[in-house]
């Protein structure tokens, strides 16, 4: 049977263009070497999906002791297998450059499909994610329960702990990951390729996220392992990126804990070919910045505090955005509980997002503050404790723009909550954290077996909207709007 899987994988490589007909014998022999086989009887390929082909290889490898029987070891093994089919970086970059000459979109379309064909993006895992939309006063919010990241079993966790520690690559974003074999505590990347790009005169790279939270979810990262920072150069790089790839948006997580992303040690952005709910949100009211009357400015109708700037001149746009950033860094308004710093700890930063609208450049500046208190030890402008049963993690760039990335546990918990609500069972065990919410839902919702699933999804989306409201520094109240105006006036003061 292994011969059939070998023939099928080679045929897959030919069909997807990963290999050429001239490579067929060579690739077959490379696969034999990996599988520790010294002979091969040609077999007819079968028409099955890539994950089924790889499953056949993995079963054979486990049965013959070539691979341990846990998810991490299997991922390392089948990535090595797909690395045999993956063209060298120089070939990938040459193809991307050739297609870019035709159009930037044609180049990224090809690279995105390529990153899926190599199994760097595992389509069959992404398909497991649960996705829906919830209508709110801010428009339709995107909700996902992330199931595509495999959960490590205890054997894999123990093996990772026992594995020798290494500082190469320094992190998951370093360019040295390209082609890296991986280890029990670091994923394999033999099937991973990156595209160099120059941003503001610096060497950066483009790749896709292996977890694809939204279409063409890309990671843009500095070639140097340098910490996240938000400054004028950051804004210039964002605007450079949407000049090079005008069909993509790009944004940066904030550079402070709590309001930042999960990796603060390596400067990077996230982008893609997708219109997020925040992008579709209208301006609630127009504002004007002194000496920048040529830049259209307004406050976005959004649960968080967002200033949108639009201009055909990206230098003017960047100058104004930098002024707002610098003024926000030092801004304190005790009445609004905004403190620029406490002791030596700075609190104010922004989450910036850049895009193109025709000939215009557009920047959304989301004002952030990471102050904590005894009442809110995880952050005043962070989802509050009563919402943690749904979302406890940081509100990063993706969530800021209106896409909830919720933990995998919610899939089973919501299914069990349906049963408990319909059968009037107590909310115990894993459902205990949802008890207050579920009892409140019982008071105001009418559940039937036909509607309970959709009603719970809608209510989860409403909780996410509240998470975003908690993260907003200026609340959507009369006092909050006055406080927002005070900051705008502060920016407009003479320097």
């Amino acid at each position: 049977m292994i011969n059939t899987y070998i023939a099928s994988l080679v045929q897959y490589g030919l069909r997807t263009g990963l290999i050429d007909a001239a490579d067929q014998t060579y690739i077959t022999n490379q696969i034999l070497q990996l599988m520790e086989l010294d002979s091969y009887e040609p077999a007819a390929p079968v028409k099955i999906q890539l994950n089924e082909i790889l499953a056949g290889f993995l079963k054979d490898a486990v049965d013959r002791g070539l691979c341990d029987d846990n998810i991490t070891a299997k991922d390392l093994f089948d990535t090595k297998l797909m690395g045999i089919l993956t063209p060298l970086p120089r070939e990938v970059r040459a193809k991307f450059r050739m297609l870019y000459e035709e159009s930037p979109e044609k180049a990224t379309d090809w690279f995105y499909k390529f990153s899926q064909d190599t199994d760097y993006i595992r389509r069959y895992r992404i398909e497991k994610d649960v996705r829906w939309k919830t209508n709110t006063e801010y428009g339709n919010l995107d909700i996902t329960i992330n199931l595509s990241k495999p959960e490590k079993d205890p054997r894999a966790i123990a093996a990772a702990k026992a594995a020798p520690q290494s500082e190469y690559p320094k992190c998951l974003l370093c360019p040295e990951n390209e082609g890296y074999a991986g280890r029990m505590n670091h994923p394999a990347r033999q099937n991973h390729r990156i595209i160099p790009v120059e941003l503001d005169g610096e060497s950066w790279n483009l790749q896709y996220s292996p977890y694809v939270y939204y279409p063409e979810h890309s990671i843009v990262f500095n070639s140097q392992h340098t910490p996240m920072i938000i400054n004028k150069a950051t804004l210039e790089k964002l605007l450079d990126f949407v000049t090079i790839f005008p069909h993509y948006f790009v944004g940066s997580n904030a550079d402070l804990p709590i309001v930042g992303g999960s990796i603060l040690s390596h400067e990077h952005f996230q982008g893609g070919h997708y219109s997020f709910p925040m992008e579709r949100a209208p301006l609630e009211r127009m504002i004007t910045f002194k000496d920048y009357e040529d830049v259209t400015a307004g406050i976005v109708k959004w649960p968080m505090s967002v200033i949108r700037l639009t201009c055909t001149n990206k230098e003017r746009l960047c100058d104004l955005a930098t002024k707002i950033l610098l003024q926000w860094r030092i801004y304190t308004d005790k009445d609004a509980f905004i403190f620029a710093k406490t002791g030596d700890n700075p609190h104010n930063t922004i989450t910036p997002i850049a895009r193109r609208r025709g000939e215009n450049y557009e920047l959304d500046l989301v004002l952030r503050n990471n102050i904590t208190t005894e009442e809110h030890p995880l952050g005043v402008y962070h989802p509050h404790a009563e919402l943690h049963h749904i979302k406890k993690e940081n509100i990063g760039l993706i969530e800021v723009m209106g896409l909830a990335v919720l933990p995998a546990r919610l899939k089973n918990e919501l299914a069990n909550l349906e049963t408990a609500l319909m059968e009037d069972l107590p909310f115990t065990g894993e459902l205990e954290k949802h008890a207050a919410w579920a009892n409140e839902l019982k008071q105001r919702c009418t559940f039937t077996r036909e509607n309970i699933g959709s009603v719970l999804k809608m209510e989860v989306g409403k909780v996410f909207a509240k998470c975003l409201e908690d993260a907003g520094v200026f609340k959507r109240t009369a006092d909050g709007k006055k406080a927002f105006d005070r900051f705008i006036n502060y920016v407009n003061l003479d320097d």
Side-chain angles (χ1 to χ4, degrees), residues 290-329:
K290 182 182 176 183
D291 299 328
Y292 290 93
E293 287 78 10
D294 55 321
V295 178
T296 301
I299 294 173
V300 180
K301 184 182 179 182
W302 196 245
M304 297 182 71
S305 308
V306 186
I307 297 172
R308 178 169 293 164
L309 308 175
T310 308
C311 189
T312 56
N313 186 319
K314 68 177 182 178
E315 286 75 22
R316 290 284 291 166
L317 191 67
C318 187
D319 286 347
L320 175 55
T322 302
K323 180 178 181 180
I324 294 169
L325 167 63
L326 294 177
Q327 297 294 79
W328 177 244
R329 290 281 196 193

Side-chain angles (χ1 to χ4, degrees), residues 263-283:
I263 301 179
L264 292 174
S265 61
H266 194 126
E267 188 178 16
H268 69 284
F269 309 143
Q270 295 183 78
H273 198 181
Y274 185 62
S275 177
F276 276 83
M278 192 175 78
E279 178 186 341
R280 301 192 296 269
L283 292 180

Side-chain angles (χ1 to χ4, degrees), residues 341-355:
K341 62 189 306 185
T342 53
D344 293 329
N345 298 315
H347 297 304
N348 290 350
T349 185
I350 65 170
T351 300
I353 300 104
R355 65 182 74 89

Side-chain angles (χ1 to χ4, degrees), residues 120-258:
Y120 168 69
I121 297 172
R122 297 176 184 252
R123 291 182 177 102
Y124 43 91
R125 287 185 181 166
I126 304 302
E127 290 169 357
K128 295 178 182 179
D129 290 348
V130 180
R131 304 173 187 272
W132 70 92
K133 294 181 183 293
T134 294
N135 187 34
T136 71
E137 64 176 293
Y138 311 109
N140 285 330
L141 299 182
D142 295 329
I143 314 296
T144 68
I145 297 177
N146 175 41
L147 303 173
S148 56
K149 278 188 179 181
E151 294 189 19
K152 293 182 178 180
D153 62 36
R155 292 168 299 175
I157 293 171
K161 186 176 181 180
Q165 297 301 304
S166 170
E167 293 186 1
Y168 180 90
K170 290 182 179 178
C171 77
L172 292 171
L173 292 179
C174 286
E176 289 81 10
N177 281 281
E178 187 177 38
Y180 185 62
R183 51 187 190 268
M184 289 302 291
N185 54 14
H186 193 104
R189 291 291 184 255
Q190 291 102 324
N191 59 349
H192 172 48
R193 299 293 180 263
I194 62 179
I195 302 297
V197 292
E198 184 178 297
L199 301 179
D200 192 33
E202 292 184 5
S203 173
W204 282 58
N205 304 278
L206 168 69
Q207 68 177 55
Y208 290 103
S209 166
Y211 305 114
V212 192
Y213 293 143
Y214 53 86
E216 298 180 51
H217 180 180
S218 53
I219 310 294
V220 187
F221 59 100
N222 197 322
S223 293
Q224 302 300 314
H225 183 76
T226 187
M228 293 288 290
I229 188 169
I230 301 293
N231 56 19
K232 183 176 184 180
T234 305
L235 300 172
E236 289 173 336
K237 292 181 183 81
L238 295 175
L239 292 169
D240 272 3
F241 184 85
V242 295
T243 301
I244 299 168
F245 300 104
H247 59 297
Y248 272 19
F249 83 90
V250 69
S252 176
N253 267 305
D255 54 353
L256 294 177
I258 297 176

Side-chain angles (χ1 to χ4, degrees), residues 382-422:
H382 176 88
H384 290 173
E386 66 272 16
L387 308 178
H388 289 178
H389 65 105
I390 298 295
K391 177 73 174 174
K392 185 178 182 179
E393 301 77 16
N394 290 356
I395 299 298
L397 171 67
I398 294 172
E399 287 88 359
V400 162
M401 296 185 293
L403 192 160
V405 181
L406 302 179
R409 62 174 173 81
L410 280 177
K411 182 182 180 183
N412 289 334
E413 289 176 11
L414 290 175
N416 292 335
L417 193 58
E418 286 186 28
T419 301
L421 285 166
M422 292 306 302

